Amino acid sequence: MSNKIDPVKLEQAQYEFKVCVPIFIALGDTTRQKICLDLAAAGTEGINVADLSGKTILSRPAISHHLKALKDCGIVEPIKKGTQIFYRLRLKDSLVPMKKLIDTVEEILSEEDSAEEP
């Protein structure tokens, strides 16, 4: 038995990797990972930039920069409450591309070509 990768599945996986690049970049930064954990601890009510900066040694502009990167890839969602903006995690929809990628890679790994080599 020989293992062959279905070219269609391989192309699909390559596309899904490209779609996930912004998420990988955003989550590859340890500061952003910490911010995500702080947002998770804040729950569905979220947390504002001032409170987030109080949990780190980063300035408010630095926190805002990291939040923008997380927001741009869909991991964080801003919520306006009066004159303030609170941020919370929005993982349900934002991780769908990563789940698709994992499923595709698992399919590739589990497929076996039953054709015998000549």
Side-chain angles (χ1 to χ4, degrees), residues 40-84:
T44 58
E45 293 297 314
I47 188 170
N48 64 19
V49 172
D51 291 339
L52 272 173
S53 67
K55 295 177 174 285
T56 69
I57 59 169
L58 298 174
S59 66
R60 289 181 189 182
I63 293 287
S64 294
H65 166 77
H66 288 293
L67 284 170
K68 181 181 181 327
L70 293 167
K71 187 180 103 179
D72 287 350
C73 69
I75 293 173
V76 169
E77 143 180 81
I79 305 159
K80 189 162 181 154
K81 294 180 181 177
T83 59
Q84 294 188 28

Side-chain angles (χ1 to χ4, degrees), residues 60-116:
R60 289 181 189 182
I63 293 287
S64 294
H65 166 77
H66 288 293
L67 284 170
K68 181 181 181 327
L70 293 167
K71 187 180 103 179
D72 287 350
C73 69
I75 293 173
V76 169
E77 143 180 81
I79 305 159
K80 189 162 181 154
K81 294 180 181 177
T83 59
Q84 294 188 28
I85 298 176
F86 288 76
Y87 295 87
R88 68 178 176 194
L89 287 179
R90 184 177 174 247
L91 297 179
K92 184 178 179 184
D93 298 327
S94 63
L95 296 183
V96 168
M98 289 182 69
K99 289 177 185 176
K100 286 182 182 179
L101 172 62
I102 291 167
D103 289 346
T104 301
V105 170
E106 286 178 340
E107 287 175 27
I108 289 170
L109 294 174
S110 67
E111 288 179 359
E112 291 187 7
D113 184 13
S114 60
E116 293 181 12

